[in-house]
């Protein structure tokens, strides 16, 4: 089960302090490069204007912690990088508990969880801790140490281009900016890493592939600002990959358009994997499809997920881990759902029957020679399939007409093609 | 509450003997002119051919009553103008009860109600009375007096044109041919009078307005016969206004087409005013939309109503009054439903976001600077709104996508426009 | 009731040994010619290539039976032609019961039924018998006699062309290749015979008619191979006629397209004959619509049936008879359903109202002169009808809009046309 390998990679990536920028991102990309050596690690300078936004300063953290009145070190960044508010500015000082509290963040309703908080675009500092720990804090003077830097540097991301028979591209995007969290986010880049490995082994891909590992929002905006025209020309389908690691549900978030081939294939695949998959609307979006499908951008990008961001209690807390939330089985399901969607797009051709009226199947050994009341199910499926090979129905549409998953038709199509009874209609 | 003012006007108009023609129509139009001084009172001569019809003779009634065998005056037109069949020819004579009964009309199932009966296109005379009164009539000789005239004269109507930024017009039509009845009809011309007053006070209307006060059927046919070509060029939306005065329901009668902007806006507005509004079909039509939407005419005219004609017991009887049926609150609801529809058409623009990808809202103070699990509802509504500003979705379509009333978006659109984040797409 | 006459013809045709070819087909066509003398009986030579298929050899049976060890003659073809597997090759010999059993066919789940089995495209022989008879067979030697010939000859079929005002054609196809079975098949050719008789008596048909009596599958493929181009140009609608003889249900099998006029009219007619008619999908097809609607052929051919082939226990067995399954009443219903569909296609015109706005009906005596609360149902239907006479709605669409069967509008349309109030829009 490939889910075990994916889970292993996620464990390796767990400790790095991913954010929009900084060493944690570089370390993550380097680890991924061990699996896909031709990954291009690229960068954009801080201060670069990207559409309505500006690439932020590079953030590094050397150490960060609080010392309590009785000398205990708490909220230690080196133990859990969620303790420090993302993009915290440097600060050293001594504060009373009341003063300190203005910079402490907890989740009263989830008292054991450390929340995940960031402040990318306003300079501030803060610590995150569990409500339970917060409640033990005594009055007195607290020593605060945040040794961080915010400096003109760069924002890194990874890009992989795979050549297929056609220049037309399928786009996969995943993000690498969240620190130690499992479903949202490590499931995304790890599943995409293994999808990239598989795609590079496939013989004769129909389409080319563009795969990016970027920080969320600012990363996709920056990438689009540099590649939009080419992507608009080439992209025929794609998925934003996030929250593909738990085993509690399958979910779908459509593109803004809602009727692109990514939407149709995504929903078809999920329906046949799990009749009860959760279908969200565009109003439930929340990741980089916000940029890829923005008005005027409108790329055909949807999301195939397990349990969606925002829809599970552990979301954006220290409880979103690789033990209780994300599992090898969950990752395995996420991997195969997206792989089946990619395979379906690759095989979604329009076939045309090569003879007028029904072909005589029996002379080719494809039909029983004795006509009785009974009728073979597989023969019926084949005859039904042929009856839709009009050169205009796609394999997806035929599968939907026949109420079967597309993959039930792959062998039939191949067999009929080998008998010259159908051919692809260009 | 404007409903009080509307109700007051209705009480003033109550006693006039409105019909297709005659002094009651002129008196009604003159009273309305007190509120909208620039109302044009126009006329067409009896005998004028209008499409398949001919303008009827002008009808005046000087007196009409019956004297019973024991000398009592009944069915006195001066006490209730419903007592006389509309367009009754003059008649003086003495008849036995049995002979008289051939010209008497009652409603056995509504024994207290005087029915409303007309005979515009065949010469006859008759009296209407309650079944209860009818049942008290003794045998004997009855003296009949109908002092009426049917002469070559004219048919009057009112027309008001209001200039907006665009030559394109919104059309409002209401009728002034029914005598003393309240929901059907006084609610119509009185509500339209107050809508016209409001429209004339609005600063910078997007569209021009054509508003007519006409007799039903023959009036709309006559008006179309003279103005059809211009109206076909200019009319983008409109409503026939009738039965907008009781407080028992909201209703909608579509145009023949069913999908014009008048239909879409009308149903949107009613849905958000009253989830349980009654949606009728074209087969339930019964007023001047029959002409405005006739094949080959096909103007985009629908009807927003309170309780529809034909759908309440008091309809077309003396029970359709200003006390028990039509109320200030009912008129108020009718006025606001149509006003909200007009406002929605005025504001139903197509917006286009001015930047590529999502705008950075936080630098404009439109977005929280701290990223947490929680998400502000208003901010979400604004981001959802922006996500549909593609220059092709109308405000109505966006509101439907977001499942909110259009008026929830008016302020958001204005705020984003003032930040140059969106602009109207011409 | 015409069903009685149809049933009588079916009884006459019962004993003939119909198959793809042979004397039974010729005898059947000759009998039908007694009713429609201008029927063309045509033929195609064995060995002729027709699209992907080849016309088979001509099959004749002189005698066929089995003699049991104790000298009893069983499975005698002269008593029931279902006993012999269709297209059995000649065979004479003596076999043990075990050897014989390899060539015996029964239906264990229907122990009293003789199954209907054919082997057109692989040379073999066999006998069909009831499971009950099969169970009585004792061990011993059986003498087999099949005196049949398979020789280069011809395949016969009948064709009738009826000229209407337009060259555009309505196509009726039925098959004549099944031996003694009643619903599937004698109901088909007998009902079509009486439809052809009726059509030839109609004064001024709008459309021309092409009617064929052919063997199933190979017959329709052969006919298409010779007439496809002309049929593609001319055919505007049509039905494959089969299983129209029992009185247990009405059913509909759509064309592949599903939205042709044959589909729309067929479903409309059946809905108004029997609200509970069974609507099948293209996936439930099974007769010559497989050829007429094959990709690239795509003629507008659907099926109006009583109980569909494959959907009743007696199907393709000796139990499908003229006593228990097919009845005069069943045939009558099948005849009228198709006749009503044909009439509806003939009358499915687009009407345009001749005046602007509503016509004044009262001056033509088509409307009450007194306006009261009540409203006549027939007058309302007429006014509703006029309101859709825009030159673009077909009579079918208007009937669906008004929720009435098309035939309720035939007289109204005629009356309005005679008053010059509507005219056909070409």
């Amino acid at each position: 089960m490939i889910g075990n390998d994916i889970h292993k990679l996620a464990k390796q990536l767990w400790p790095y302090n991913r954010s929009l920028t900084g060493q944690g991102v570089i370390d993550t990309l380097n680890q991924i490069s061990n699996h896909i050596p031709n990954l291009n690690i690229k960068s954009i300078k801080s201060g670069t204007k990207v559409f309505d936004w500006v690439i932020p300063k590079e953030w590094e953290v050397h150490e960060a912690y609080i010392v309590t009145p009785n000398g205990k070190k708490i909220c230690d960044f080196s133990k859990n990088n969620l303790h420090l508010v993302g993009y915290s500015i440097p600060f050293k000082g001594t504060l009373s508990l009341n003063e300190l509290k203005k910079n402490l963040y907890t989740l009263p309703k989830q008292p054991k969880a450390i929340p995940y908080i960031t402040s990318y675009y306003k300079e501030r500092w803060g610590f995150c801790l569990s409500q339970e720990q917060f409640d033990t804090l005594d009055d007195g003077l607290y020593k605060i140490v945040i040794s961080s830097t915010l400096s003109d540097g760069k924002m890194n991301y990874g890009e992989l281009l795979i050549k297929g028979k056609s220049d037309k591209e399928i786009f996969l995007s995943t993000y690498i900016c969240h620190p130690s969290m499992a479903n949202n986010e490590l499931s995304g880049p790890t599943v995409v890493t293994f999808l990239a490995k598989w795609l590079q082994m496939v013989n004769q891909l129909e389409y080319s592939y563009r795969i990016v590992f970027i920080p969320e929002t600012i990363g996709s905006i920056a990438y689009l600002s540099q590649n939009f025209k080419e992507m608009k020309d080439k992209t025929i389908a794609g998925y934003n990959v996030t929250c593909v690691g738990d085993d509690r549900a399958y979910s779908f978030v459509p593109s803004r358009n809602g009727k692109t081939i990514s939407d149709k294939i995504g929903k078809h695949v999920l329906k046949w994997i799990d009749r009860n998959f959760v279908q969200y609307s565009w109003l439930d979006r929340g990741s980089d499809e916000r940029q890829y499908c923005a008005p005027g951008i409108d790329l055909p990008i949807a999301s195939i997920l397990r349990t969606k961001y925002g829809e599970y209690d552990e979301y954006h807390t220290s409880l979103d881990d690789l033990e209780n939330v994300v599992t090898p089985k969950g990752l395995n399901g996420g991997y195969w759902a997206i792989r089946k969607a990619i395979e379906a797009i690759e095989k979604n051709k329009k076939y045309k029957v090569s003879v007028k009226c029904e072909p005589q199947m029996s002379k080719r050994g494809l039909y029983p020679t004795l006509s009785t009341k009974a009728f073979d199910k597989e023969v019926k499926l084949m005859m039904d399939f042929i009856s839709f090979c009009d050169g205009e129905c796609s394999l997806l549409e035929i599968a939907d007409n026949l109420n079967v998953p597309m993959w039930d038709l792959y062998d039939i199509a191949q067999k009929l093609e080998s008998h010259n009874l159908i051919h692809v209609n260009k």
Side-chain angles (χ1 to χ4, degrees), chain A:
Chain A
M1 189 177 72
I2 202 165
N4 288 316
D5 300 324
I6 302 171
H7 197 259
K8 211 163 103 189
L9 175 58
K11 287 213 154 174
Q12 289 165 356
L13 297 176
W14 180 263
Y16 302 138
N17 179 43
R18 280 170 297 279
S19 181
L20 299 188
T21 59
Q23 192 57 39
V25 176
I26 296 169
D27 293 342
T28 299
L29 291 170
N30 283 337
Q31 275 281 6
I32 290 172
S33 291
N34 292 339
H35 290 265
I36 36 178
N38 47 349
L39 180 73
N40 269 305
I41 301 179
K42 296 187 157 185
S43 65
I44 310 184
K45 276 189 195 162
S46 302
T48 308
K49 196 163 163 40
V50 290
F51 293 142
D52 194 46
W53 302 61
V54 172
I55 302 296
K57 293 191 170 170
E58 190 170 330
W59 183 54
E60 288 298 345
V61 181
H62 309 104
E63 57 175 356
Y65 56 84
I66 299 169
V67 182
T68 62
N70 48 20
K72 200 177 146 199
K73 197 193 256 193
I74 61 165
C75 293
D76 188 351
F77 174 80
S78 71
K79 297 216 168 121
N80 188 327
N81 48 34
L82 289 173
H83 276 312
L84 188 62
V85 167
Y87 264 67
S88 278
I89 55 174
F91 182 81
K92 282 201 170 68
T94 305
L95 297 176
S96 70
L97 180 58
N98 271 345
E99 283 172 309
L100 173 60
K101 278 185 173 175
K102 295 173 190 162
N103 293 61
L104 295 184
Y105 301 94
T106 65
L107 288 169
K109 286 183 183 170
Q110 293 176 277
K112 287 182 193 307
I114 307 168
Y116 167 51
I117 309 274
T118 64
S119 179
Y120 299 137
Y121 300 102
K122 183 176 175 191
E123 297 205 340
R124 57 158 66 87
W125 64 266
F127 282 93
C128 304
L129 68 167
S130 71
Q131 184 67 34
E132 285 186 358
Q133 186 167 31
F134 180 93
D135 291 340
T136 67
L137 300 182
D138 296 320
D139 276 343
L141 291 176
Y142 285 77
K143 184 184 159 198
I144 317 300
V145 174
I146 303 177
S147 171
S148 67
T149 56
L150 277 162
S151 58
D152 282 334
K154 53 193 170 22
M155 184 181 80
N156 288 285
Y157 65 92
E159 180 194 58
L160 175 68
L161 300 173
I162 306 174
K163 208 72 207 120
K165 285 198 272 174
S166 163
D167 272 356
K168 294 294 174 192
E169 292 180 351
I170 295 175
F171 180 55
L172 297 178
S173 177
T174 192
Y175 48 88
I176 47 159
C177 58
H178 290 52
S180 305
M181 285 176 295
N183 197 35
N184 182 33
E185 98 176 2
L186 279 171
S187 68
T190 54
V191 161
V192 171
T193 297
F194 279 82
L195 288 168
K197 283 177 83 166
W198 160 65
L199 282 165
Q200 289 186 306
M201 291 186 316
V202 171
N203 191 24
Q204 284 276 41
L205 288 167
E206 291 290 333
Y207 295 107
S208 297
Y209 286 78
R210 179 183 297 265
I211 300 173
V212 297
F213 300 81
I214 49 168
E216 209 178 10
T217 305
I218 185 69
S220 51
I221 291 169
Y223 192 81
L224 283 168
S225 79
Q226 299 192 334
N227 299 280
F228 173 58
K229 207 162 168 287
E230 187 183 353
M231 291 174 75
K232 192 73 183 169
D233 282 349
K234 293 183 171 174
T235 312
I236 61 133
Y239 296 99
N240 184 55
V241 183
T242 174
C243 298
V244 287
D246 72 318
D247 196 34
R248 301 178 288 197
Y250 284 93
S251 315
F252 187 74
V253 176
S255 75
R256 191 172 83 91
N257 173 303
K259 291 173 182 173
T260 72
I261 193 64
S262 313
D263 293 288
K264 289 174 184 166
I265 291 278
K267 287 187 279 185
H268 177 90
V269 164
L270 287 177
K271 184 179 79 177
W272 288 103
I273 287 177
D274 176 5
R275 283 265 164 199
N276 300 313
F277 85 94
V278 186
Q279 197 172 321
Y280 292 99
S281 92
W282 172 248
L283 300 182
D284 302 307
R285 75 197 179 285
S287 181
D288 282 326
E289 72 283 352
R290 285 156 38 207
Q291 315 310 328
Y292 298 133
C293 302
I297 302 294
D298 283 312
L299 294 171
I301 308 303
S303 302
I304 291 172
L305 317 93
R306 302 299 309 256
T307 304
K308 192 180 83 79
Y309 42 81
E311 299 291 329
Y312 58 101
D313 283 343
E314 303 90 344
Y315 169 72
H316 270 198
T317 76
S318 57
L319 303 181
D320 186 353
D321 63 21
L322 286 166
E323 287 74 39
N324 301 304
V325 175
V326 165
T327 61
K329 203 175 157 217
L331 290 161
N332 203 64
Y335 170 88
W336 277 103
I338 296 171
R339 177 163 161 178
K340 273 175 181 293
I342 292 170
E343 286 172 337
I345 297 168
E346 288 265 327
K347 287 180 185 291
N348 188 34
K349 298 173 189 174
K350 294 177 177 184
Y351 290 101
K352 197 167 182 172
V353 66
S354 305
V355 302
K356 282 217 168 71
C357 292
E358 288 185 333
Q360 198 192 355
M361 307 304 280
S362 61
K363 73 183 183 192
R364 296 174 175 93
L366 300 172
Y367 205 86
T369 58
L370 199 71
S371 169
T372 68
K373 261 179 101 152
F375 200 68
D376 184 74
K377 248 186 156 177
E378 275 184 54
V379 170
K380 170 151 174 55
L381 185 62
M382 184 162 59
M383 298 313 290
D384 284 346
F385 175 75
I386 291 172
S387 90
F388 286 108
C389 288
D390 58 5
E392 291 179 29
C393 283
S394 67
L395 199 73
L396 169 64
E397 289 166 324
I398 297 180
D400 282 341
N401 282 342
L402 303 187
N403 200 27
V404 296
M406 281 175 76
W407 43 89
D408 278 12
L409 301 178
Y410 296 161
D411 284 353
I412 292 175
Q414 199 184 11
K415 191 195 282 183
L416 291 170
E417 225 179 340
S418 74
H419 276 88
N420 290 320
L421 284 173
I422 61 170
H423 56 272
V424 174
N425 193 30
K426 302 278 182 190

